[in-house]
Amino acid sequence: MNKKILKKIKKILVGTAITSILVFLILLLGNSQDPYIDVTKTAAQDMENIFYDQFFKIKTGKTFEKLEKDGKVSMSHSFEPNIMIVDIDENALTKLGNYNEWDRSIHANVIKNLSEGGASAIGFDILFKSADFGQKKAEQTIGILNSLDSTKPWDTLFSDIRSHYNFDSLMIKDIKESGNAIVCFMMDDSTSFSHKSVWEKLATYERAEELGFSSTFDNSQVDSITHVEPKTLLDNIYPELARAGARMGSVNAYPDDDGVVRHVSMLYRFPNPYAYPDVPSRVYSTMSLMTVMHLFHLDPKDVKIKMGQYIELGKPFGIYRDSTGIFHTTFPQFSYPMFTELRKFLKNKDAQQIATDEIIDISKKLIAKKNSDGKIQISLFDGQALDEDVSELLLNIADKIDGDSLLAIPEGESLEVFEGVTITREEDAEINNLFLVTDAKSEEEFNIVPSTLNTLRFFRDSLKVLPENEPKHLSIDMDVRYDKAEKKWKSSLVILTDKVIRDIMNAPNEKVDNLKSGEEFRFGPVKRVPIDNYGRYLVNYIGRFNTDKESRPFQHLSYYDVTMNRHDQAMFQGKVFILGSAAPALFDFVPGPHEENNPAVLIHATIIQNILNDNYIVNLAERHQQVIVILLAILCMLLGLFIKSYISIAISMILMGLYAFIAFRYFQDGLYIGVSKQLLAMLLTNIAALIVQFYYENKEKRFLDNAFKQYISPELIDEMVNNEIMPTLGGEKSNITAYFTDIASFSTFSEKIGDPSRLVDLLNEYLTAMTDTLLSNKGTLDKYEGDAIIAFFGAPMPLENHAQSACSAACDMQSKLMKLRKKWASEGDKWPKVVHDMHMRIGINSGDIVTGNMGSTMRKNYTMMGDAVNLAARLESAAKQYGAYIQISEDTQKHLEPGLFIYRSLDTIRVVGKSQPVKTFELLSKTGCENEETLLKLVEIWEQARAAYLAMEWDKAIELFTQCLDYEPHLPERDPGSKSCPSLVYIERCKTYKENPPVKPGEEWDGVFTATSK
């Protein structure tokens, strides 16, 4: 086998090995769905979120043209006409005042007006924590009246006054009568409250019991109940409100770890089974899911939940026959006559052709209301409001003929129903079949459609028992059309999706017509809401709020306009309304992946839209993503191994861009196939392959980085790599700063701690913190000797002011040690008191020092040598004699920039082993510290005391040093663990010299103190 083939085989083997390792690490560390290592989850998810969020920004920025009867209008990419936001907006706050001062009649009016308009569901994203039913206002009023005239029996009016202010009952009444309101609550944890007495009543089984269980799931309905998130508190709702609503659900929208709301937890357990293990818990869901269940007429007990897969809601639409034999549909405001009219049209063999790109009216608005006289009054489409006499006439017509018989009337001709009462078929009305009813006697005219008569005939008996002054929607406006381009049926009602309409079209007549009492027949595909292993739903945002109004995904109605009934109620028919706020003043905004400030109310509206339209976004299963990663990695490895580097890089970049584009197209269709792992695998494997190729083709040019990394500082390695220099024996002299540290009384630590392993743990923690501080100040670590740290500044890489960096490191180390002491003290009895009071000494000296690689030909170490090094070590040990903790030489002090540090002259000392005295200083702190004023005062008095000391004015010196004690930071009484301080040392020295002067009388004293120990 020739060398060329052998080289290729080696390249493939090495490339495959490296690629396998890279892919393994990427798959191991990059799994954000179900991480193998928990600590990597956040990082992996953050990487994936970069692309995920960007995809949403692109997707939600698009627009399209929506077909209307009068032409085409530009709207958002996924405008949802059937879900509207009743918005507590700036207009409402301006007109109605501060939201916190609103009475609940405002909300009651909104509910009433929407219900009278035919809303199918009204979801609350407004919390009502409690209600006093007018009690507080009544007490305030009685108090005011008593203060004005205490002689009158105002208390007798309390009930009347309270009823006047009882807006809570008014709101509850309208919510209950609407039958379509879904109220909300918050699931919370006890950490939100300061005292247990406040939150405990919100956490019990009794709390759950008083709110009722009609909107909850049994634990047995969930296949992995332990994965459902438990919550301690069920808050911001009161029992009367909970029982008045058709359903209730949470409006929690907790963000992901990075603060962005991408998921919403759909399931919660309450009461918390871990806090209350002896009581049964139930599973609660969201307001959005409960709204959908209300629209589906779905009992919670019929829901199936598979964690990590879906919440199964069954088929969305159906018909059923009640115990009295009357037919109904499952969708609110969708009457059975509307269903029969729809089936009639769909059974027409030409229905699809007729409805192609044309909007076909299936039913029209028909509202009946019994007035106080017991008479029925009917309201029809196009704003036609009939009086009681004309309404009676219409009912009589419906009794006499059915709507289908009207279709036999030729266009433009009339049929006389009663004497003077005719029905004329309008011209040019072949599609919608519009008829004009004329009563010659009353000179009244109004329009009807065939479904008007059929609907009235169906409800004739029900109208007899209709409650007074409660309008009932017998029929609402409903139309359908067939979109030829998409090959889908579409309707004005959100429940009538293409699949539902096709199911209705294909349903056998016998199954529908022969339905028995208590039976139900449903249409459409089974709804399965995707959730992850912990019951979280991935929100598929469909548009942006922070854009022009026409481009928003949902229409916003001002709360003020709805409560004041300023809209045509016809627009409410069959629609879903979410009550909430998008006003900046109420701060109910959260960051979304598509925009930073997204009103929280839109999250709930979006989830409802997603479920009703099967418009989900799901993550591709991790195992499938892993296959993609492996295939892409192999492809890019081969490119890197066998194609020239610049061509390989170009092709890889193109492939990465192409993959991102494909991923986005899948994302648009509701599947996120993952991007970060795949692109990272492509990039890293291509780079790795290029490195392998470079290694084999340029072996002589490789540097020796790995050979010396284990014992040479990173800076020197960088210098060697940049200059391609092989380390040799020898060194280089330069002016740098030597740095020595040591723990004071370390032998005491060993005795007190006892256990060597615990001592090692303590030392490791201490040395790690100190080394991090050293390196952050650009120091070079030489070595550790037990508890001592030996380092230097200014080599191998020169520093502009090495002495200043060393002093900065010393101050930072002392500060870091104080934090460690506090931490150790907070750990209780883990460490003896001597650890809590740990001190360290530091000696610093600058001078000419030799640094370099020193050792044998087999092993070298980058270190320092020189007389200046020895002096730094002596200064560290000599600091003990003064009770000082940072002693620096004059050579170091000269390099310090004025105003950056606080220090004082300490002594002129002749250290052991040195004949020449050295002037030293104690470094106290950096300027700007908390006790700067105290330290500056200390330095001021100290220098005066030192001057007296050097002048051998012992009494004056003692007096001044004594004054210094008030400011000494390390006075033993002030600093536990400190055995002395410079002022105490000098006081004792002055006393000694007073008795035994350092020189004979008349001789001049140089002020030098000779140290007798290291």
Side-chain angles (χ1 to χ4, degrees):
M1 186 179 295
N2 61 46
K3 291 183 178 180
K4 190 173 182 180
I5 296 176
L6 184 62
K7 181 179 177 181
K8 285 186 177 181
I9 293 174
K10 286 183 177 180
K11 283 169 65 175
I12 292 174
L13 292 175
V14 173
T16 301
I18 294 175
T19 298
S20 299
I21 294 171
L22 288 173
V23 170
F24 173 76
L25 291 174
I26 290 170
L27 297 182
L28 177 68
L29 304 178
N31 185 348
S32 60
Q33 295 184 38
D34 191 14
Y36 304 110
I37 304 175
D38 287 340
V39 295
T40 66
K41 179 180 180 181
T42 300
Q45 191 63 63
D46 287 346
M47 290 180 59
E48 204 65 74
N49 287 342
I50 294 172
F51 298 95
Y52 182 87
D53 295 355
Q54 191 59 44
F55 283 1
F56 256 124
K57 288 180 173 68
I58 299 171
K59 174 185 171 184
T60 57
K62 293 189 176 183
T63 60
F64 81 121
E65 290 185 336
K66 181 178 182 294
L67 180 68
E68 295 288 348
K69 285 187 178 181
D70 56 352
K72 295 182 177 180
V73 294
S74 177
M75 309 192 79
S76 70
H77 177 60
S78 297
F79 177 73
E80 177 51 72
N82 292 296
I83 301 174
M84 297 184 182
I85 310 299
V86 184
D87 190 352
I88 303 176
D89 57 5
E90 296 295 345
N91 178 53
L93 295 174
T94 301
K95 298 288 182 63
L96 300 174
N98 189 322
Y99 176 72
N100 294 326
E101 296 175 2
W102 287 11
D103 64 62
R104 291 177 181 175
S105 65
I106 293 173
H107 304 293
N109 288 338
V110 168
I111 296 296
K112 183 178 181 181
N113 293 334
L114 292 176
S115 298
E116 289 182 352
S120 290
I122 305 168
F124 275 88
D125 185 27
I126 302 173
L127 297 166
F128 300 98
K129 188 175 183 69
S130 60
D132 70 349
F133 303 98
Q135 178 79 20
K136 186 176 180 180
K137 284 282 188 181
E139 290 174 352
Q140 290 175 344
T141 303
I142 292 296
I144 292 171
L145 292 173
N146 282 327
S147 67
L148 295 173
D149 187 352
S150 60
T151 61
K152 294 185 179 180
W154 300 114
D155 291 344
T156 59
L157 301 176
F158 183 83
S159 296
D160 293 334
I161 294 173
R162 180 178 179 181
S163 63
H164 177 77
Y165 288 114
N166 192 0
F167 302 120
D168 294 308
S169 291
L170 178 63
M171 184 180 74
I172 289 172
K173 171 180 172 293
D174 286 332
I175 287 175
K176 189 176 183 66
E177 288 180 354
S178 77
N180 291 326
I182 295 83
V183 296
C184 65
F185 54 81
M186 284 286 289
M187 286 294 192
D188 212 338
D189 296 309
S190 59
T191 52
S192 301
F193 294 82
S194 301
H195 303 289
K196 185 177 181 180
S197 60
V198 178
W199 62 259
E200 189 172 25
K201 60 185 178 182
L202 303 174
T204 62
Y205 180 77
E206 288 72 23
R207 169 67 169 170
E209 207 169 28
E210 67 179 0
L211 297 179
F213 301 111
S214 62
S215 298
T216 65
F217 308 121
D218 188 80
N219 289 348
S220 62
Q221 293 174 248
V222 185
D223 65 340
S224 299
I225 190 62
T226 55
H227 284 187
V228 177
E229 181 182 0
K231 282 292 183 181
T232 304
L233 309 181
L234 200 163
D235 197 8
N236 292 296
I237 192 170
Y238 53 94
E240 294 83 356
L241 179 62
R243 295 182 181 277
R247 289 276 185 266
M248 68 172 184
S250 79
V251 286
N252 293 63
Y254 295 120
D256 293 348
D257 292 338
D258 61 354
V260 177
V261 178
R262 300 181 187 87
H263 302 81
V264 168
S265 292
M266 301 293 280
L267 305 169
Y268 298 100
R269 290 177 75 187
F270 181 83
N272 189 327
Y274 302 105
Y276 299 93
D278 298 329
V279 300
S281 65
R282 301 281 295 180
V283 177
Y284 290 73
S285 189
T286 61
M287 179 272 289
S288 52
L289 185 67
M290 286 297 152
T291 299
V292 173
M293 289 174 59
H294 171 71
L295 296 174
F296 290 2
H297 195 258
L298 181 64
D299 193 315
K301 66 180 176 59
D302 296 325
V303 173
K304 298 177 183 177
I305 303 170
K306 288 186 175 292
M307 302 299 286
Q309 297 184 50
Y310 54 77
I311 300 173
E312 186 177 299
L313 303 178
K315 296 184 175 183
F317 179 72
I319 59 172
Y320 64 96
R321 202 167 187 177
D322 65 20
S323 57
T324 64
I326 298 176
F327 283 93
H328 304 269
T329 76
T330 55
F331 189 76
Q333 312 298 1
F334 194 134
S335 63
Y336 189 76
M338 293 170 61
F339 174 77
T340 58
E341 294 297 329
L342 177 62
R343 290 195 74 236
K344 286 177 191 176
F345 173 74
L346 294 176
K347 289 297 181 181
N348 186 328
K349 64 179 182 179
D350 297 322
Q352 183 170 305
Q353 183 61 39
I354 294 171
T356 299
D357 290 331
E358 294 291 343
I359 297 176
I360 306 301
D361 290 326
I362 300 298
S363 62
K364 288 287 192 178
K365 184 180 81 170
L366 177 57
I367 302 174
K369 180 179 179 181
K370 182 181 287 185
N371 61 23
S372 301
D373 297 328
K375 300 290 187 179
I376 299 295
Q377 289 181 281
I378 294 173
S379 298
L380 299 173
F381 53 93
D382 295 337
Q384 301 177 94
L386 310 184
D387 62 26
E388 59 187 46
D389 293 330
V390 178
S391 298
E392 184 62 30
L393 172 62
L394 180 57
L395 288 168
N396 291 334
I397 293 173
D399 285 342
K400 186 170 184 180
I401 61 173
D402 63 56
D404 295 341
S405 64
L406 298 181
L407 299 176
I409 302 174
E411 182 182 330
E413 296 189 14
S414 302
L415 171 69
E416 186 173 31
V417 186
F418 301 112
E419 184 179 349
V421 178
T422 60
I423 300 178
T424 304
R425 187 168 189 170
E426 299 273 19
E427 295 183 5
D428 300 324
E430 297 90 346
I431 300 298
N432 291 322
N433 300 317
L434 190 64
F435 296 84
L436 177 67
V437 178
T438 305
D439 182 8
K441 182 178 179 182
S442 64
E443 298 183 351
E444 293 281 352
E445 290 184 341
F446 56 91
N447 288 113
I448 62 171
V449 292
S451 65
T452 304
L453 300 182
N454 293 335
T455 301
L456 288 172
R457 288 169 71 89
F458 181 86
F459 283 106
R460 187 56 164 159
D461 292 337
S462 300
L463 294 177
K464 295 176 183 178
V465 293
L466 189 68
E468 290 185 0
N469 298 315
E470 291 186 15
K472 180 178 178 63
H473 283 78
L474 308 183
S475 176
I476 61 175
D477 292 335
M478 177 176 69
D479 58 59
V480 297
R481 71 180 179 91
Y482 182 75
D483 190 316
K484 192 173 182 179
E486 295 186 27
K487 297 182 179 180
K488 287 184 178 181
W489 284 94
K490 298 190 176 179
S491 170
S492 60
L493 292 185
V494 69
I495 199 68
L496 293 180
T497 61
D498 173 73
K499 292 180 179 178
V500 169
I501 290 176
R502 291 183 185 277
D503 258 17
I504 294 173
M505 183 187 299
N506 298 324
N509 290 335
E510 57 272 16
K511 279 198 172 183
V512 174
D513 299 334
N514 298 329
L515 205 64
K516 297 179 181 178
S517 294
E519 289 185 341
E520 181 181 75
F521 186 59
R522 285 192 173 258
F523 308 93
V526 173
K527 288 277 184 183
R528 287 179 171 174
V529 182
I531 55 174
D532 65 14
N533 291 332
Y534 303 98
R536 299 188 308 162
Y537 173 79
L538 196 56
V539 183
N540 190 13
Y541 293 95
I542 61 174
R544 301 185 186 183
F545 172 77
N546 297 295
T547 183
D548 55 280
K549 292 183 179 180
E550 291 74 19
S551 298
R552 290 176 177 173
F554 303 102
Q555 183 177 355
H556 288 243
L557 307 179
S558 174
Y559 220 81
Y560 175 76
D561 292 338
V562 177
T563 196
M564 300 303 291
N565 205 19
R566 298 177 65 184
H567 288 289
D568 178 5
Q569 289 189 347
M571 70 182 293
F572 302 159
Q573 299 176 85
K575 301 294 190 289
V576 178
F577 295 88
I578 308 299
L579 314 187
S581 176
L586 296 185
F587 304 105
D588 194 15
F589 284 77
V590 295
H594 59 314
E595 59 183 342
E596 185 174 354
N597 295 307
N598 183 53
V601 64
L602 297 189
I603 296 175
H604 312 299
T606 300
I607 295 174
I608 295 171
Q609 190 276 343
N610 292 169
I611 298 174
L612 292 177
N613 293 283
D614 293 315
N615 184 25
Y616 306 118
I617 182 75
V618 295
N619 286 312
L620 182 66
E622 188 65 31
R623 62 181 181 276
H624 296 146
Q625 291 194 38
Q626 291 171 349
V627 172
I628 295 174
V629 169
I630 294 170
L631 293 176
L632 291 174
I634 292 173
L635 175 61
C636 288
M637 178 197 72
L638 295 175
L639 286 174
L641 288 177
F642 298 108
I643 298 179
K644 289 184 178 180
S645 59
Y646 61 91
I647 298 176
S648 172
I649 292 172
I651 294 175
S652 295
M653 290 297 136
I654 292 171
L655 288 175
M656 290 169 70
L658 180 62
Y659 178 81
F661 175 76
I662 293 171
F664 176 69
R665 293 305 301 268
Y666 273 105
F667 182 84
Q668 288 181 305
D669 294 331
L671 178 65
Y672 184 67
I673 63 175
V675 180
S676 67
K677 292 191 297 291
Q678 291 80 353
L679 295 188
L680 188 63
M682 295 171 76
L683 178 65
L684 294 184
T685 52
N686 187 255
I687 292 174
L690 289 173
I691 292 172
V692 172
Q693 185 185 60
F694 182 80
Y695 174 83
Y696 280 100
E697 294 179 359
N698 303 278
K699 190 173 183 180
E700 68 281 0
K701 297 181 182 179
R702 289 188 302 161
F703 301 144
L704 302 176
D705 179 39
N706 291 333
F708 300 97
K709 185 179 293 185
Q710 58 189 346
Y711 54 84
I712 298 178
S713 68
E715 291 85 356
L716 182 60
I717 289 177
D718 290 341
E719 188 176 305
M720 291 165 51
V721 171
N722 291 335
N723 296 283
E724 303 183 22
I725 298 171
M726 171 75 77
T728 58
L729 292 177
E732 179 182 354
K733 180 188 288 188
S734 58
N735 190 278
I736 64 173
T737 298
Y739 188 96
F740 283 74
T741 78
D742 198 9
I743 297 176
S745 304
F746 183 69
S747 58
T748 306
F749 285 75
S750 305
E751 295 172 3
K752 294 290 184 180
I753 294 174
D755 186 353
S757 63
R758 296 185 65 226
L759 181 61
V760 169
D761 291 342
L762 178 68
L763 264 183
N764 286 342
E765 183 176 6
Y766 164 80
L767 291 174
T768 298
M770 296 305 120
T771 304
D772 289 345
T773 304
L774 174 77
L775 297 179
S776 68
N777 282 278
K778 301 182 180 180
T780 301
L781 177 66
D782 186 333
K783 62 177 72 70
Y784 301 115
E785 288 185 358
D787 61 303
I789 300 174
I790 302 173
F792 46 92
F793 290 78
M797 302 303 293
L799 291 177
E800 186 176 349
N801 194 327
H802 48 81
Q804 199 155 281
S805 296
C807 290
S808 178
C811 293
D812 291 346
M813 278 191 180
Q814 295 291 2
S815 297
K816 188 68 175 180
L817 179 58
M818 286 301 297
K819 293 178 181 178
L820 286 175
R821 288 169 57 182
K822 290 178 181 179
K823 174 183 176 292
W824 293 329
S826 69
E827 293 173 351
D829 296 334
K830 180 178 179 181
W831 303 107
K833 191 174 186 307
V834 68
V835 174
H836 304 167
D837 300 337
M838 179 189 289
H839 286 73
M840 66 183 293
R841 294 188 301 272
I842 301 173
I844 303 173
N845 180 44
S846 302
D848 291 336
I849 297 173
V850 175
T851 57
N853 295 291
M854 304 176 193
S856 69
T857 56
M858 296 296 294
R859 185 169 182 177
K860 311 174 187 68
N861 185 35
Y862 193 77
T863 186
M864 61 179 173
M865 285 186 178
D867 194 53
V869 176
N870 297 332
L871 178 56
R874 297 290 185 271
L875 292 179
E876 179 273 314
S877 61
K880 177 180 180 181
Q881 301 178 39
Y882 295 92
Y885 294 102
I886 306 176
Q887 186 171 206
I888 66 176
S889 69
E890 185 177 20
D891 287 336
T892 297
Q893 180 268 338
K894 288 177 181 178
H895 288 83
L896 301 184
E897 186 178 330
L900 294 182
F901 298 94
I902 301 173
Y903 52 85
R904 58 179 167 182
S905 60
L906 189 59
D907 206 349
T908 302
I909 183 173
R910 186 178 289 108
V911 298
V912 176
K914 296 288 181 180
S915 59
Q916 291 297 320
V918 178
K919 188 174 182 180
T920 66
F921 297 80
E922 182 187 14
L923 182 61
L924 296 169
S925 178
K926 294 180 181 179
T927 56
C929 61
E930 293 181 1
N931 60 337
E932 179 178 3
E933 187 176 344
T934 301
L935 294 178
L936 291 174
K937 185 67 176 176
L938 169 64
V939 172
E940 179 186 350
I941 301 173
W942 173 270
E943 296 302 338
Q944 295 174 23
R946 278 272 299 161
Y949 166 79
L950 293 173
M952 294 191 293
E953 297 174 2
W954 310 120
D955 291 331
K956 181 179 179 182
I958 291 171
E959 179 185 353
L960 289 169
F961 282 128
T962 303
Q963 291 179 30
C964 289
L965 294 176
D966 293 336
Y967 305 101
E968 282 284 0
H970 299 296
L971 188 70
E973 291 80 0
R974 190 174 294 123
D975 181 14
S978 181
K979 296 179 180 179
S980 186
C981 67
S983 293
L984 290 175
V985 171
Y986 268 92
I987 289 170
E988 291 302 316
R989 190 186 292 181
C990 286
K991 290 178 180 179
T992 302
Y993 282 166
K994 184 177 178 181
E995 296 295 330
N996 300 293
V999 294
K1000 296 177 181 180
E1003 293 183 6
E1004 186 177 346
W1005 183 44
D1006 60 4
V1008 174
F1009 177 78
T1010 301
T1012 58
S1013 65
K1014 293 184 179 182

